[in-house]
Amino acid sequence: VNPNVNVTLWQDTSTSTQTGQQSTIRVEGVTDASGRVDFEFALEAYLNIIAAKNGDTARGFIRLKPHETTEKTVQIF
């Protein structure tokens, strides 16, 4: 359990094959007393994760699928 960890999810710039519009996703949150932070997205995406606290970091990635709850655990050492 690690509260007060700054968590950032982001997607490298991607381009819609239908519209040609570029999309950049970046959201941030802080873990609660149980070490969790929740985000909600409507569309499928592959996102990078970075969690940071007191100069220590953990990195990972997550694949989001429509109409599914997805969880990912990253550990800071």
Side-chain angles (χ1 to χ4, degrees):
V1 176
N2 207 339
N4 301 314
V5 174
N6 295 308
V7 178
T8 303
L9 300 180
W10 81 94
Q11 180 182 50
D12 296 326
T13 302
S14 63
T15 303
S16 169
T17 56
Q18 295 175 352
T19 66
Q21 182 175 354
Q22 287 191 338
S23 169
T24 303
I25 297 171
R26 184 179 189 88
V27 294
E28 298 178 359
V30 177
T31 58
D32 61 17
S34 66
R36 291 181 58 103
V37 63
D38 296 319
F39 302 97
E40 190 170 320
F41 295 90
L43 302 174
E44 183 172 5
Y46 289 90
L47 301 175
N48 299 297
I49 303 168
I50 188 165
K53 182 176 181 179
N54 299 329
D56 295 321
T57 60
R59 295 177 183 268
F61 68 93
I62 189 167
R63 179 183 178 194
L64 307 179
K65 297 180 182 179
H67 313 293
E68 291 186 21
T69 298
T70 306
E71 294 184 9
K72 181 72 173 195
T73 300
V74 293
Q75 294 184 335
I76 296 176
F77 295 100

